[in-house]
Amino acid sequence: RICQVNDAFCRMLGYTREELLTMSISDLEATETSKQVADHIQKVINWGGSDRFETRHRRKDGNIIDVEVSTRMIEISSRLSFFCFVRDITEYKRAKVELEREQNNLKAIFEAAPFCMLLVDENMVIKRSNSIVAKLFSKDALEIANTRPGEGLGCIHASDDIKGCGYGPACSSCLIRNTARQVLSSGQAIHRVEIHPTFLVDGKAVSSWFEISVEPTVIEGCKHVVITMADISERKKAEDEVRRLNVKLE
C-alpha cells in the first residue's frame, strides 16, 4: 500500500492524495504485473534495499507516462517500508527517441551522399564525416573525427601555428572556416561557394577545386553545421578549356 505522497506526485498522476492512499503500486504500474511488482520488491530487499530503475505508470486519465524511480528501504515503527523518488521522464524519453531518429537519418544521409560531408560543431570540430571524405583524403574516419577541418582534411596551413587549424596567417582567409562560422552565427545556409585549397594527401600536396555548401542544424541543443564538398576540378578544367578555345576563335 501507498503510505504517503506529496503534492508533486498527486499532480503527476492526476489523483488526489486521498485516492492514492487507498491504492498500491500495482494499481499505478503499467508495465509490471502484480506478481512482477512483488518479485521486484523482493529483489530490492535481496540487493540491499535500494534500486534505481525506469518503468511506466498509468495516470488517472488513462495516459501512460515514463518514470524513473529511485527507492530505498527504510524501517518506520518496526515496519518495513520503501521511500521512493519518482520522476516523470516522458518528455526526456520522447526527446531521446527523436534524437536517435534524427541521428539515424543523418547517418543515412551522410553515407548515401555522393560527395564529401562533414558535421562540425560550434567549436569548429568535426563530429562526423562520411566515407567519401575518408576515400578522397586517404584518411580513416577515426583520424578525422574530433579534429578541426584543416587538421582532419590535411590543409597545408594547419600546422603554420603551434595551436593548429584556425590560428595560422592563412586561416583568416580560409573559405571553409569563414563560411562555417558565418552560418553558425547567422543560422542562415550558404550555398555554392567555390574554393581552391591545397591538402596533403598521402604526403603529397594536392590542389583541387570544390564547391561547398553549409547548412545549420541543432543537435542535442547545440549548434552545428553540415558542410558538403563536391569536387568540381574536372568541371573547372573543362571551363578553362572552353575559355581557351573561345580566345583562339576570337
Side-chain angles (χ1 to χ4, degrees), residues 57-125:
H57 282 177
R58 181 175 287 104
R59 287 173 44 86
K60 186 177 181 178
D61 60 14
N63 288 326
I64 306 297
I65 62 171
D66 294 288
V67 294
E68 180 187 74
V69 181
S70 297
T71 183
R72 178 171 294 278
M73 186 170 62
I74 59 174
E75 192 174 302
I76 301 176
S77 301
S78 301
R79 185 178 179 181
L80 188 64
S81 300
F82 288 90
F83 190 74
C84 302
F85 292 95
V86 184
R87 182 166 67 98
D88 185 349
I89 58 170
T90 306
E91 290 305 316
Y92 165 77
K93 298 280 280 189
R94 286 176 183 165
K96 186 177 179 181
V97 169
E98 180 63 20
L99 177 61
E100 289 174 353
R101 185 186 68 80
E102 289 180 358
Q103 289 179 335
N104 288 335
N105 288 343
L106 185 62
K107 182 179 180 181
I109 291 169
F110 263 53
E111 291 311 316
F115 39 71
C116 298
M117 292 191 75
L118 301 170
L119 177 67
V120 177
D121 69 13
E122 56 191 336
N123 295 314
M124 291 301 296
V125 173

Side-chain angles (χ1 to χ4, degrees), residues 107 109-118 128-141 144:
K107 182 179 180 181
I109 291 169
F110 263 53
E111 291 311 316
F115 39 71
C116 298
M117 292 191 75
L118 301 170
R128 183 191 292 273
S129 62
N130 66 355
S131 57
I132 304 296
V133 175
K135 182 179 179 180
L136 187 62
F137 294 95
S138 295
K139 288 192 174 187
D140 186 271
I144 300 170

Side-chain angles (χ1 to χ4, degrees), residues 7 9 11-12 16 43 59 63 76 85 109 120 123 135 141 148 154 158-159 163 172 198 203 205 209 220 224 236 238:
D7 292 341
F9 191 72
R11 288 194 300 271
M12 185 173 71
T16 65
K43 285 181 181 178
R59 287 173 44 86
N63 288 326
I76 301 176
F85 292 95
I109 291 169
V120 177
N123 295 314
K135 182 179 179 180
R148 284 168 287 197
S159 57
K163 289 182 285 188
S172 60
T198 301
W209 279 96
E220 296 185 37
H224 290 69
K236 298 296 286 188

Side-chain angles (χ1 to χ4, degrees), residues 1-3 23-29 32-53 55 57 69-74 79-84:
R1 285 288 176 182
I2 298 173
C3 301
M23 302 169 73
S24 67
I25 293 298
S26 297
D27 295 324
L28 303 175
E29 180 61 46
E32 297 180 344
T33 64
S34 297
K35 183 179 184 306
Q36 288 172 325
V37 170
D39 290 344
H40 195 163
I41 291 172
Q42 188 58 52
K43 285 181 181 178
V44 173
I45 295 172
N46 295 340
W47 291 340
S50 65
D51 192 15
R52 179 175 167 178
F53 58 94
T55 187
H57 282 177
V69 181
S70 297
T71 183
R72 178 171 294 278
M73 186 170 62
I74 59 174
R79 185 178 179 181
L80 188 64
S81 300
F82 288 90
F83 190 74
C84 302

Side-chain angles (χ1 to χ4, degrees), residues 159-179:
S159 57
D160 286 355
D161 189 283
I162 193 171
K163 289 182 285 188
C165 172
Y167 294 93
C171 297
S172 60
S173 59
C174 173
L175 286 175
I176 296 176
R177 179 180 177 81
N178 291 345
T179 306

